[in-house]
């Protein structure tokens, strides 16, 4: 669409620039205001849902400080700028920051190692009891066995949090 500004082009460009907008965005805002509050409600997004998730290129104009914040936040989450903006636009939850996901994976590995050692101790205890070499050897494992339930619960809570959302594990 072309709009004949009939001599007010300079004033429109100055007003748009003053608001940090393009002339097209400024004109659209004026048209929405003139149409009334129901104008945006009538607007429909005509993009078919596609399982192939085709990619469209989009250029944004924004304040330099806002652009720097966008770059910083996208990098902290391990997302591209487009993925980050896409999450914000669709209201999709953002993944945990990369550093947090890495820390969670390290904690999960450590927890798995501890559970593996604990399983070995349990097997050793079972062998001792089977050999009937008695109560003294079994008591040596007592302190480690008392914390078994708590250790397992901590591990399961951590593992559950990491695997609950496949998007969160990268």
């Amino acid at each position: 669409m072309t709009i004949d500004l009939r001599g007010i082009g300079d004033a429109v460009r100055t007003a748009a620039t003053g608001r940090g907008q393009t002339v097209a965005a400024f004109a659209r805002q004026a048209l929405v205001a003139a149409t009334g509050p129901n104008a945006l409600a009538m607007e429909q997004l005509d993009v078919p849902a596609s399982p192939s998730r085709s990619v469209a290129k989009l250029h944004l104009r924004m304040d330099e400080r806002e652009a720097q914040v966008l770059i910083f936040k996208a990098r902290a989450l391990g997302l591209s700028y487009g993925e980050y903006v896409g999450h914000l636009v669709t209201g999709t939850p953002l993944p945990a920051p990369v550093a947090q996901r890495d820390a969670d994976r390290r904690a999960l590995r450590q927890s798995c190692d501890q559970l593996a050692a604990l399983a070995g101790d349990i097997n050793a205890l079972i062998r001792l009891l089977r050999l009937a070499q008695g109560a003294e050897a079994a008591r040596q494992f007592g302190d480690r066995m008392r914390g078994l339930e708590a250790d397992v619960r901590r591990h399961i809570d951590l593992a559950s949090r990491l695997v609950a959302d496949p998007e969160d594990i990268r």
Side-chain angles (χ1 to χ4, degrees), residues 44-110:
Q44 294 181 3
L45 185 59
D46 189 22
V47 178
S50 169
S52 66
R53 292 189 51 131
S54 60
V55 176
K57 189 169 188 172
L58 176 69
H59 296 274
L60 301 173
R61 293 180 193 263
M62 57 178 28
D63 176 81
E64 186 174 343
R65 173 78 176 125
E66 292 169 346
Q68 292 299 322
V69 170
L70 183 146
I71 291 167
F72 173 79
K73 288 186 173 186
R75 284 182 182 163
L77 298 176
L79 299 174
S80 70
Y81 312 143
E83 288 173 317
Y84 180 75
V85 171
H87 278 272
L88 296 177
V89 168
T90 61
T92 306
L94 293 166
V98 172
Q100 179 63 46
R101 292 193 315 259
D102 289 345
D104 286 345
R105 277 193 286 279
R106 281 191 302 276
L108 181 59
R109 277 191 219 90
Q110 182 180 10

Side-chain angles (χ1 to χ4, degrees), residues 108 111 115 151-161:
L108 181 59
S111 181
L115 277 178
D151 290 343
V152 170
R153 283 182 192 264
R154 270 195 304 275
H155 174 78
I156 291 171
D157 288 344
L158 178 60
S160 297
R161 194 173 78 231

Side-chain angles (χ1 to χ4, degrees), residues 142-155:
D143 290 339
R144 292 188 75 174
M145 295 300 112
R146 286 187 191 97
L148 174 63
E149 183 180 3
D151 290 343
V152 170
R153 283 182 192 264
R154 270 195 304 275
H155 174 78

